[in-house]
Amino acid sequence: GSGANAKPARAEDGSYPLLLASMKAGQVTEIKPDNIKSWGDVKSEKIEKDTYWTVVVKYETQTMFGKFETEAQARIKDGKVDKWVYVGSGEVVP
């Protein structure tokens, strides 16, 4: 599919260039490319009134209690990452 809301491309290593670009641009600071353990598949989801492409990433985060794995969902709209939210709570990832 083409157009403004094209499905995000996946690189050969399983990553998504669009998501990496979002991290490098500082849109999200808690998730870094080298902390990512796994990249999920792209899904189309209707959230509230909008339809997004979504990708769940599993990553390791460092907290005052040590390291643990958590999952975040990138919501992609119009060819860019609209926001990153925690899977479960739906809160925006810093």
Side-chain angles (χ1 to χ4, degrees), residues 10 12 44 46 60 66-67 70 72 77 94:
R10 192 166 198 171
E12 278 177 29
S44 178
K46 202 171 165 94
E60 196 172 64
K67 284 184 177 176
T70 187
K77 193 175 179 224

Side-chain angles (χ1 to χ4, degrees), residues 3-77:
N5 208 16
K7 186 174 178 175
R10 192 166 198 171
E12 278 177 29
D13 65 358
S15 69
Y16 295 89
L18 189 70
L19 273 55
L20 290 169
S22 165
M23 293 171 206
K24 288 187 179 121
Q27 189 177 4
V28 65
T29 57
E30 190 178 282
I31 309 169
K32 297 193 169 43
D34 46 359
N35 292 347
I36 292 178
K37 300 289 182 211
S38 68
W39 300 84
D41 295 323
V42 179
K43 296 186 174 79
S44 178
E45 283 188 58
K46 202 171 165 94
I47 301 163
E48 285 143 23
K49 295 190 180 93
D50 291 309
T51 301
Y52 294 93
W53 292 107
T54 63
V55 176
V56 171
V57 298
K58 188 178 283 185
Y59 67 99
E60 196 172 64
T61 184
Q62 181 74 49
T63 70
M64 54 196 232
F65 307 110
K67 284 184 177 176
F68 70 96
E69 277 188 9
T70 187
E71 288 182 327
Q73 181 190 68
R75 294 182 180 169
I76 300 134
K77 193 175 179 224

